[in-house]
Amino acid sequence: METLKDKYAPYFKIGTAFENYDLVNADLIKTQFNSMTCANAMKFGCLTEKPGEYEFKYADELVKFAKDNNMAIHGHNYVWHNQTPDYIFENTSAEELIETLKNHVRILKDHFGELDSFDAVNEAIEDKSEQYLRDTKWKRILGDDYVSKVFRAIHEVVPNTQLFYNDYNESFPEKREKIVRLLKEMLADGVPVYGMGLQSHISIYGPDLDEIKRSIEAYAALGLRLRISELDVSMYLNNNDKDPEVKMPNPELMKKQADYYGELFKIYRSYADHIDAVTFWGVTDKDSWLNYFPIPGRRNYPLLFDDNGQPKEAFYSVMNF
């Protein structure tokens, strides 16, 4: 059977962001994918909880697997408001926090080598109000231009790494405008932004495919490389606690998902000149993060492979063109 990575070789890499427990699907991963993102294992707070103490065993296992199977490795992430150790913000000045960040980047560089690409900043834009930037400890200490400062600091340490800005709801017009504003401001100021990561946690109900096209065009127009960085297609309308639980098998919903995935990848192929990789957030439906968020234990079925690692209708929709 032809694989995702082979079928899409003329277009872009096909990736998966996965956890150590996903290695039960090792054969599936190495057969279908040629790019890897550590879903959590490279995040600041997953590597260190106390000053001077780093634990690499989980990330090491995933990186070794990727290297053994000739997979590209994308780093995720250096700066985020979540999963960051509290100690780095305690009794510190802006200058000291930047040095702490640079030291963290050096430690990762010394351990893993300089990776080809890395999410420098994750989810800095506020999407719930008219507010521009999300209020975070990074912003409070470093100031309103903290994203630029962070990109510059990271680039000093790893000048050969392609640095990405990564965010969700990136195809909704209001938030897209704010993300484009941030990227334009940084590029105009000579900040070393290489690319934009479109997380693409979306649903069979939307966003509208035309908005996805407009978003790709808006980010590509800035001269940036693009990554579809965390793709999954939820079975829920709003993905909140008001959505009634989906029961499977449901042929109507499976077809709706397959059709949406098919149209989505048709769009991605049409913009392949701008896209480096399309990466799914997870491997199989069984271990998707959406089974635990926003309601722990409520099943979702957002990926191309079912609980047993078998291709779903959506897989064939993506493959048959």
Side-chain angles (χ1 to χ4, degrees):
M1 182 176 70
E2 193 171 20
T3 67
L4 284 166
K5 67 181 182 182
D6 292 336
K7 183 81 172 184
Y8 279 87
Y11 299 95
F12 36 68
K13 290 189 180 297
I14 297 290
T16 174
F18 58 96
E19 308 280 6
N20 300 77
Y21 54 70
D22 285 307
L23 290 177
V24 297
N25 295 303
D27 288 342
L28 175 63
I29 294 170
K30 64 188 180 185
T31 300
Q32 297 290 340
F33 303 99
N34 54 10
S35 180
M36 180 276 276
T37 302
C38 291
N40 283 287
M42 278 192 190
K43 291 175 180 173
F44 210 142
C46 296
L47 292 170
T48 174
E49 295 179 351
K50 297 178 182 178
E53 296 182 14
Y54 275 72
E55 176 56 78
F56 287 105
K57 68 178 181 180
Y58 299 109
D60 282 346
E61 183 180 27
L62 299 180
V63 168
K64 182 179 186 305
F65 177 86
K67 288 181 175 179
D68 287 348
N69 292 286
N70 299 310
M71 301 174 76
I73 301 168
H74 177 74
H76 178 76
N77 55 59
Y78 286 127
V79 169
W80 191 27
H81 60 277
N82 280 331
Q83 288 178 270
T84 304
D86 288 333
Y87 77 79
I88 72 167
F89 301 115
E90 294 169 357
N91 303 312
T92 192
S93 66
E95 293 75 15
E96 289 167 338
L97 181 56
I98 285 292
E99 283 306 312
T100 298
L101 172 61
K102 287 165 72 173
N103 187 56
H104 173 69
V105 177
R106 283 188 203 100
I107 289 170
L108 269 62
K109 178 185 177 182
D110 290 344
H111 189 84
F112 297 114
E114 189 165 353
L115 301 185
D116 290 337
S117 58
F118 219 111
D119 293 327
V121 177
N122 196 45
E123 301 174 3
I125 294 293
E126 177 59 64
D127 64 332
K128 296 178 183 175
S129 70
E130 295 303 312
Q131 189 176 323
Y132 177 35
L133 293 178
R134 186 190 295 270
D135 182 25
T136 70
K137 293 178 181 178
W138 291 103
K139 178 176 175 287
R140 288 175 214 162
I141 296 171
L142 296 178
D144 289 347
D145 61 344
Y146 87 94
V147 179
S148 293
K149 289 175 179 173
V150 162
F151 266 87
R152 292 187 196 279
I154 294 169
H155 180 69
E156 277 185 46
V157 183
V158 284
N160 299 312
T161 296
Q162 301 162 355
L163 298 180
F164 281 75
Y165 175 72
N166 192 56
D167 216 328
Y168 66 98
N169 287 353
E170 72 293 326
S171 291
F172 290 93
E174 252 186 278
K175 188 166 183 181
R176 179 175 65 222
E177 282 182 25
K178 291 192 278 188
I179 295 172
V180 168
R181 172 186 163 187
L182 174 66
L183 294 170
K184 275 186 174 177
E185 288 170 350
M186 290 197 292
L187 290 167
D189 200 29
V191 177
V193 186
Y194 178 85
M196 168 67 193
L198 294 78
Q199 288 190 15
S200 306
H201 293 298
I202 52 184
S203 159
I204 58 175
Y205 301 101
D208 183 81
L209 292 166
D210 284 338
E211 289 297 350
I212 290 175
K213 287 182 188 176
R214 290 187 192 104
S215 301
I216 290 173
E217 290 172 1
Y219 300 126
L222 301 175
L224 298 173
R225 299 300 301 169
L226 308 182
R227 297 180 69 90
I228 310 304
S229 57
E230 306 185 14
L231 176 62
D232 43 33
V233 178
S234 169
M235 289 291 192
Y236 292 91
L237 177 60
N238 300 302
N239 203 35
N240 60 30
D241 57 8
K242 295 182 177 62
D243 288 317
E245 186 169 5
V246 168
K247 299 292 186 182
M248 285 295 173
N250 183 319
E252 181 183 348
L253 289 182
M254 295 294 275
K255 184 175 188 312
K256 192 173 179 69
Q257 184 185 56
D259 290 346
Y260 191 91
Y261 259 122
E263 290 301 311
L264 197 58
F265 271 77
K266 183 178 179 181
I267 292 170
Y268 295 158
R269 292 192 301 274
S270 70
Y271 292 102
D273 287 349
H274 302 284
I275 297 173
D276 290 345
V278 174
T279 295
F280 294 86
W281 198 256
V283 182
T284 72
D285 284 345
K286 182 178 181 181
D287 293 313
S288 169
W289 74 294
L290 291 173
N291 295 332
Y292 310 97
F293 177 87
I295 300 176
R298 186 182 71 178
R299 286 300 310 270
N300 208 322
Y301 308 86
L303 299 168
L304 300 189
F305 299 96
D306 68 15
D307 287 6
N308 299 311
Q310 295 302 305
K312 293 162 54 181
E313 189 175 348
F315 171 86
Y316 296 106
S317 186
V318 166
M319 291 287 286
N320 294 335
F321 63 91

